[in-house]
Amino acid sequence: MHKIKPEMRVVFILILLLFAVFLFLPLIILLIRSFETDQGISLANYIAVWKEPDMLAAAWNSVKVSAAAAIIATVSGFILAYSIHCTRIYSPIKGALRTAIILPMLLPTITYGFAIMYSFGNQGLLTKLFGRNLFEIYGFNGLLTGYVIYTLPSAFLLIHNAFGYIDKKIIIVSRLMGDGAVRSFANTIVRPLVGALGGAFVLSFILSFTDFGIPASVGGTYPVVATRLYQVMLGAIPNFNQGAVIAVLMLIPAVFGIWLLNYLERLNFHYDKISDIELPRHRTRDIALGVISCAIVLGLLSIFAIMFIAPFLNSFPYDLHFTLKHVRDVLTSDLTGVYKNSLGVALLTSLFGTVMAYGAALLNVRTKLKGREASDIVSMITNTVPGMVLGISYLLLFNGSSLKGTFTIIVLCNIVHLFTTPYLMAKNSLSKMNPSWETTGELLGDSWFKTVRRVVLPNSVSTVLEMFSYYFVNSMVTISGIIFLVSAQTSVMASKIKELQHFAKFNEIFVLSLLIFLTNLVIKILCDWMQRRRAVS
């Protein structure tokens, strides 16, 4: 492979500096603050936090509801992925299931709670359709519903991707050799997917445990760790040291999750060759799984139906006359400024985040630079640290600086927080390219930057578009990471929705949510169209 160029070192140092200042330093400060007391460094803060009965209840509640949500999301995600890969359901239905299941990812989690309230509340849309209350929406039931909606798309994508590496020919061979349906299913489907199923469970658990949006809207008086942290940090009397302790404790499930994922990785195996064949038709199985899969997706989407209805009615559920008043009010109010803020933050995060993640992957995969593996460590840490923990770390470190309450700090927080997935996308794509391109460029007298711009980048445009789309969509919907960083001037859509909740302005909340949804949908469709166009050409 080509020799090390000065420009490679410059890019590498810049990336390392950025993560040193905006990832490692804030986390170190957080850890130090958690041990700080008036008497010096001690475990007093930790002891004080665990002595509070509220904290113990919040921790147990978080574990309980997150585990339940993770089990449901993993099982549902598996059913959907199995239906798409291992049945003969009508192809357009499979395509519709694949698309529909990821739609909730285009909305902030705080909106899920309000959709649940307006769907299952006493006067809710689904309550009226069923003629009675299906369950109490505040507390465990509301959180469980919200967490399942939130984590199911991610769990499905993980399992769906793993199904692509299963050789279906082995399933047919197993049945021909006389294996029963249960034995064949266990050996040819479940066994190869153990790592992915474990990963889906861990991912769903961590996402639920660390989410703030859903408890903020339907948590009620049911304490969980995320709302406890919010109350301690932004309550009547903020306690930064105690907040630091709770933030550090939030890292424990994530660290345990990483350990479990590494253990499950040993159980994964790969086929030398994957046969792309259709499994035999099984009428009963196909109909049953088709109905169950459609029920899961329709059940999921029906909760959001209210979001497309309530803003266009005078006063749901009391005055059902059509009106555009609520939409007009939002579009002619100062809320349009908040939308512009969100759009600006998402675009800046996408542009700079994509450049940084692509640069880190490029140096790791396509150079022999010493220490380039550091980006893998960074990727693992950013994957582990919850958004709320990173947000608090920034608050503690930059509280007295000129960065406090600026768009810069919000963009940097988003770039660091969302780094893992785009980085892994780029790394996967770049590792599959011809390794001799840079050497050829060097022989032709081209600089490294020129070779990257003229040869490497054009061959990874699809991945770059996917990275951009991921950064944009997640920047528009995230609330956990930025809730401690926004100010009155830098308020974004997700944080504004939290603010509007206090004034019970639910029509405005749904209009803003629709704006987020439609903006993300446009970006997603645009990026997918550009990817397809690129593939055809």
Side-chain angles (χ1 to χ4, degrees):
M1 203 179 277
H2 51 88
K3 64 185 180 187
I4 308 303
K5 299 284 184 70
E7 56 263 42
M8 295 176 189
R9 287 199 179 92
V10 171
V11 173
F12 184 59
I13 289 165
L14 285 174
I15 291 170
L16 275 190
L17 277 174
L18 189 135
F19 281 112
V21 177
F22 295 101
L23 176 64
F24 295 106
L25 189 57
L27 291 176
I28 291 165
I29 297 297
L30 175 76
L31 197 61
I32 292 167
R33 284 296 290 268
S34 72
F35 290 104
E36 268 183 10
T37 64
D38 294 335
Q39 287 75 42
I41 301 293
S42 76
L43 290 168
N45 294 327
Y46 285 86
I47 294 163
V49 164
W50 284 114
K51 274 185 178 175
E52 290 182 27
D54 278 4
M55 187 59 209
L56 282 169
W60 170 239
N61 288 344
S62 285
V63 169
K64 193 167 54 176
V65 72
S66 300
I71 290 167
I72 295 169
T74 304
V75 171
S76 303
F78 174 79
I79 291 169
L80 284 164
Y82 183 85
S83 301
I84 288 166
H85 286 273
C86 298
T87 69
R88 298 285 290 275
I89 296 170
Y90 190 42
S91 282
I93 294 176
K94 287 185 179 182
L97 289 173
R98 245 194 319 262
T99 304
I101 194 64
I102 63 166
L103 290 179
M105 297 176 90
L106 306 181
L107 284 163
T109 56
I110 196 162
T111 299
Y112 299 3
F114 301 125
I116 291 166
M117 285 160 58
Y118 266 62
S119 295
F120 296 109
N122 292 333
Q123 300 293 323
L125 181 66
L126 296 179
T127 301
K128 285 184 175 295
L129 287 174
F130 284 102
R132 64 184 183 88
N133 275 91
L134 297 178
F135 57 84
E136 170 55 46
I137 58 168
Y138 295 105
F140 182 88
N141 295 330
L143 289 175
L144 181 64
T145 308
Y147 287 156
V148 170
I149 295 167
Y150 175 37
T151 58
L152 178 53
S154 301
F156 162 75
L157 286 173
L158 214 158
I159 300 165
H160 171 63
N161 183 54
F163 255 110
Y165 297 95
I166 284 183
D167 192 345
K168 293 174 189 170
K169 187 174 66 182
I170 306 295
I171 301 169
I172 296 169
V173 170
S174 170
R175 297 310 301 272
L176 289 172
M177 291 183 73
D179 288 346
V182 175
R183 182 183 169 87
S184 176
F185 178 76
N187 288 337
T188 61
I189 301 288
V190 177
R191 174 66 187 85
L193 286 176
V194 165
L197 292 170
F201 175 85
V202 170
L203 178 66
S204 301
F205 182 89
I206 292 170
L207 287 174
S208 301
F209 191 90
T210 58
D211 178 64
F212 170 70
I214 294 161
S217 45
V218 289
T221 56
Y222 190 82
V224 289
V225 173
T227 46
R228 185 87 189 107
L229 179 56
Y230 181 77
Q231 287 157 9
V232 167
M233 292 299 289
L234 296 179
I237 308 168
N239 188 331
F240 283 7
N241 290 350
Q242 200 176 67
V245 171
I246 300 170
V248 170
L249 293 173
M250 279 183 92
L251 289 170
I252 294 171
V255 172
F256 174 74
I258 296 295
W259 172 82
L260 188 61
L261 285 176
N262 286 335
Y263 175 77
L264 289 169
E265 189 65 32
R266 300 178 200 167
L267 302 175
N268 285 341
F269 59 81
H270 304 281
Y271 298 106
D272 292 330
K273 193 181 175 188
I274 296 165
S275 311
D276 188 25
I277 58 166
E278 283 270 22
L279 290 174
R281 192 178 296 280
H282 191 299
R283 195 174 174 80
T284 309
R285 178 203 65 193
D286 293 353
I287 291 171
L289 282 168
V291 169
I292 292 167
S293 296
C294 289
I296 290 170
V297 173
L298 287 173
L300 192 79
L301 297 184
S302 67
I303 294 167
F304 294 103
I306 190 65
M307 199 178 81
F308 297 87
I309 299 169
F312 301 101
L313 301 176
N314 264 330
S315 178
F316 181 86
Y318 310 107
D319 182 355
L320 303 182
H321 289 95
F322 177 80
T323 182
L324 288 172
K325 177 181 176 294
H326 306 303
V327 177
R328 212 164 34 240
D329 286 351
V330 167
L331 296 179
T332 55
S333 71
D334 62 345
L335 291 174
T336 51
V338 178
Y339 175 66
K340 286 173 187 169
N341 289 352
S342 278
L343 214 52
V345 166
L347 283 169
L348 288 171
T349 301
S350 308
L351 289 169
F352 290 109
T354 301
V355 168
M356 198 188 67
Y358 189 84
L362 195 65
L363 291 169
N364 187 315
V365 175
R366 303 192 67 83
T367 73
K368 284 189 172 179
L369 205 63
K370 279 185 181 175
R372 67 188 187 279
E373 296 84 3
S375 48
D376 286 334
I377 296 164
V378 165
S379 160
M380 196 174 74
I381 293 169
T382 52
N383 195 33
T384 309
V385 177
M388 277 190 101
V389 175
L390 197 62
I392 283 179
S393 303
Y394 279 31
L395 182 67
L396 295 174
L397 179 60
F398 302 110
N399 202 22
S401 75
S402 57
L403 281 173
K404 185 189 175 185
T406 62
F407 287 117
T408 306
I409 198 74
I410 296 169
V411 169
L412 284 164
C413 183
N414 282 340
I415 288 171
V416 173
H417 174 45
L418 302 169
F419 173 76
T420 306
T421 302
Y423 168 74
L424 292 176
M425 284 176 184
K427 194 177 166 188
N428 185 43
S429 171
L430 292 166
S431 63
K432 290 174 181 171
M433 292 180 190
N434 189 329
S436 64
W437 283 343
E438 286 88 344
T439 309
T440 307
E442 201 175 312
L443 291 169
L444 292 168
D446 289 347
S447 68
W448 180 65
F449 278 134
K450 199 172 182 180
T451 305
V452 168
R453 183 172 55 82
R454 290 174 57 185
V455 183
V456 181
L457 192 57
N459 281 282
S460 53
V461 167
S462 288
T463 304
V464 170
L465 287 167
E466 206 176 334
M467 291 163 73
F468 181 91
S469 167
Y470 179 89
Y471 259 125
F472 187 94
V473 168
N474 284 280
S475 298
M476 286 292 284
V477 302
T478 188
I479 182 169
S480 300
I482 52 98
I483 193 66
F484 298 115
L485 304 175
V486 291
S487 64
Q489 289 74 40
T490 59
S491 183
V492 291
M493 302 269 268
S495 64
K496 193 68 179 178
I497 288 171
K498 171 79 181 106
E499 190 185 312
L500 290 169
Q501 177 193 4
H502 295 299
F503 305 103
K505 293 188 174 181
F506 293 108
N507 286 316
E508 285 90 338
I509 284 170
F510 285 135
V511 173
L512 285 183
S513 299
L514 272 175
L515 267 175
I516 294 173
F517 177 77
L518 293 172
T519 304
N520 281 339
L521 194 61
V522 166
I523 291 293
K524 202 99 180 73
I525 290 168
L526 197 62
C527 287
D528 288 350
W529 173 75
M530 286 168 78
Q531 279 178 287
R532 279 197 302 273
R533 193 170 167 219
R534 185 83 194 167
V536 169
S537 62

